[in-house]
Amino acid sequence: MSADVVRLDEATMFELFTVVSLFLVALFGTVIAYQAYRGYRRNDARSMLYLAVGLLLLTLFPFVLNVVLNTMTATDRIVTVFAKNLSRLLGLVAIMYSLYGQH
């Protein structure tokens, strides 16, 4: 276990608010991505599919990567940061493609 792990009963209010806000970003991003996916299914608009994927890569995947890499593996912090940033970058690329790509 690394030195920066904080037990829930020992967490400060700031740490609790940080975790809750990260969870809410993942939750809201997933709900919005689901609505975009429904738009794709309803209208057969591929741009909505790319938007949904981009939103998931931008919001949900960094949260999941953070949890998985920090709790289930002994990964270096720099690897976690890189993985989250790569996910966000790919999410922005997918969103940009949904807006400007030829589908």
Side-chain angles (χ1 to χ4, degrees):
M1 200 178 271
S2 68
D4 60 349
V5 172
V6 177
R7 290 175 29 132
L8 192 56
D9 59 342
E10 298 172 351
T12 65
M13 287 303 278
F14 177 76
E15 290 165 334
L16 290 174
F17 285 140
T18 300
V19 170
V20 168
S21 69
L22 291 171
F23 175 76
L24 288 174
V25 166
L27 178 67
F28 290 149
T30 302
V31 169
I32 295 167
Y34 176 70
Q35 292 301 321
Y37 177 74
R38 286 182 62 209
Y40 159 69
R41 294 289 306 248
R42 184 174 40 248
N43 301 315
D44 198 30
R46 290 186 59 86
S47 63
M48 295 302 280
L49 179 61
Y50 290 109
L51 178 62
V53 169
L55 285 168
L56 288 176
L57 287 168
L58 194 60
T59 60
L60 178 64
F61 280 43
F63 177 78
V64 171
L65 284 169
N66 194 34
V67 170
V68 168
L69 293 177
N70 286 330
T71 59
M72 297 181 185
T73 65
T75 311
D76 232 0
R77 178 165 160 68
I78 191 79
V79 173
T80 302
V81 170
F82 176 76
K84 292 187 316 184
N85 285 339
L86 182 61
S87 177
R88 289 183 186 115
L89 175 64
L90 293 174
L92 290 172
V93 168
I95 291 171
M96 183 170 275
Y97 185 73
S98 80
L99 295 172
Y100 300 110
Q102 303 295 323
H103 339 113

